[in-house]
Amino acid sequence: MSEIFVDTIRKTGGSLGTDIRVKNTSVYESDGGTSVTQNLVQGLIKAWFNFKGTDTVSLLDSNNIASMTDNGTGRYTGNLTNNMGNTNYCISCIGDNDGGSNNSPSHSATEHDNNSTSAFQFQSFRPVDDGYTDAQKAPAMIVGDLA
Amino acid sequence: MSTLKTNTLTGTTSAGSILVTGEGGSTTTNLQQGLIKAYVCYTTSSTTAIHGSESFNHSSLSDEGTGQTKFTMTNNMSASKFSLSDSGGDATAGYSSWVQDDEFSTSTYELNLGTGSFGAQDGPYHAGQVIGDLA
């Protein structure tokens, strides 16, 4: 087994570090520096975004998200650029509470049964009556295995 | 383009600390600390079980009651309080989730699912991610 001892990973001949390609069997030593190792690629967030869900839906910032689709009040579909390896990936999302009003979305949910390897669905709800409501902003992330 | 092939990345100054240059090129960030240390996608609807094979660094999960699921990790965290992120739902109503302070240890944590008004309920889909320092 080969090992590379290094403190900083950078692009060859420069200061940027964005051109590194890591094989999916790579492992890293734990933060505590013990003998524990874990898979590096499985530890990466595979997609993330923050989007505006009111009026015309738009992505504010994202990685590996091709587009967002508005399915009606408080209901959205996210479309991935690079597909996941199966439909059981993990999604976490949070709705914007807009100053703590009971009429603003704070609950968010994902709809696992309708997820595919290339798209996922999620919703935002009002805490006051559990009704669908548009999220002013909604950050989320996806982890799991890429295809 | 040069290709580096290796099975293990290890810091020279500190074994568990490697810096990578940020996307903007002006800062560096710690590689190990930026990784998700454990994740799980599971259901509590009929039986408490992992969806497919979507679990990483977990050795088991157990049903602790309505909406309550306790997880045991394979590789321990370095501290008993670490960061958790989660979400889930059934697409038809509001959905809440929370953790219990006294259920954290370096190897375990518990997620609780509830209705929009925080009444305990089971659910068809929930996902959780652990972030923090491994032991």
Side-chain angles (χ1 to χ4, degrees):
Chain A
M1 186 181 80
S2 61
E3 294 189 23
I4 299 243
F5 292 89
V6 64
D7 285 326
T8 304
I9 300 174
R10 290 196 174 116
K11 179 181 177 180
T12 304
S15 60
L16 298 179
T18 54
D19 288 354
I20 293 168
R21 182 168 180 155
V22 178
K23 192 169 174 59
N24 60 11
T25 53
S26 300
V27 299
Y28 67 94
E29 293 215 9
S30 70
D31 318 67
T34 63
S35 58
V36 173
T37 59
Q38 286 206 154
N39 186 281
L40 177 63
V41 176
Q42 281 193 295
L44 297 171
I45 294 171
K46 302 304 166 38
W48 55 262
F49 63 88
N50 193 359
F51 86 107
K52 180 177 79 69
T54 55
D55 303 321
T56 301
V57 172
S58 64
L59 285 165
L60 302 173
D61 199 3
S62 67
N63 181 45
N64 195 30
I65 303 293
S67 63
M68 299 295 298
T69 305
D70 190 346
N71 299 328
T73 302
R75 291 175 290 170
Y76 312 96
T77 297
N79 301 293
L80 296 165
T81 303
N82 295 319
N83 289 3
M84 299 301 288
N86 59 61
T87 60
N88 292 318
Y89 45 88
C90 305
I91 308 173
S92 282
C93 54
I94 300 172
D96 179 4
N97 198 297
D98 191 25
S101 164
N102 280 340
N103 291 315
S104 302
S106 67
H107 300 307
S108 56
T110 48
E111 192 175 358
H112 173 259
D113 288 347
N114 289 324
N115 286 348
S116 70
T117 56
S118 61
F120 56 93
Q121 298 194 2
F122 61 99
Q123 303 81 33
S124 65
F125 299 92
R126 286 185 299 267
V128 66
D129 61 1
D130 270 354
Y132 289 123
T133 188
D134 285 337
Q136 292 198 354
K137 289 180 182 174
M141 66 177 178
I142 294 174
V143 299
D145 293 347
L146 280 173
Chain B
M1 184 185 80
S2 59
T3 301
L4 189 65
K5 292 185 178 181
T6 184
N7 289 322
T8 305
L9 296 172
T10 304
T12 48
T13 305
S14 176
S17 179
I18 294 175
L19 299 179
V20 293
T21 305
E23 290 85 348
S26 61
T27 60
T28 58
T29 188
N30 188 284
L31 177 64
Q32 277 88 345
Q33 287 193 307
L35 296 169
I36 299 282
K37 299 304 164 44
Y39 64 75
V40 64
C41 175
Y42 69 103
T43 177
T44 62
S45 285
S46 52
T47 59
T48 297
I50 293 168
H51 277 300
S53 60
E54 282 303 282
S55 170
F56 176 54
N57 194 29
H58 287 98
S59 57
S60 65
L61 75 174
S62 61
D63 185 349
E64 301 290 313
T66 303
Q68 286 183 281
T69 307
K70 189 166 189 173
F71 300 90
T72 301
M73 291 180 281
T74 306
N75 294 321
N76 289 5
M77 303 298 286
S78 64
S80 60
K81 295 293 191 296
F82 42 84
S83 179
L84 270 175
S85 179
D86 71 298
S87 192
D90 59 9
T92 59
Y95 201 79
S96 60
S97 62
W98 62 94
V99 295
Q100 287 182 236
D101 176 69
D102 58 358
E103 294 292 345
F104 275 97
S105 75
T106 56
S107 60
T108 60
Y109 64 93
E110 184 177 286
L111 289 175
N112 292 260
L113 315 184
T115 62
S117 54
F118 292 93
Q121 71 168 356
D122 287 321
Y125 172 85
H126 204 79
Q129 300 87 37
V130 173
I131 304 169
D133 288 353
L134 281 173

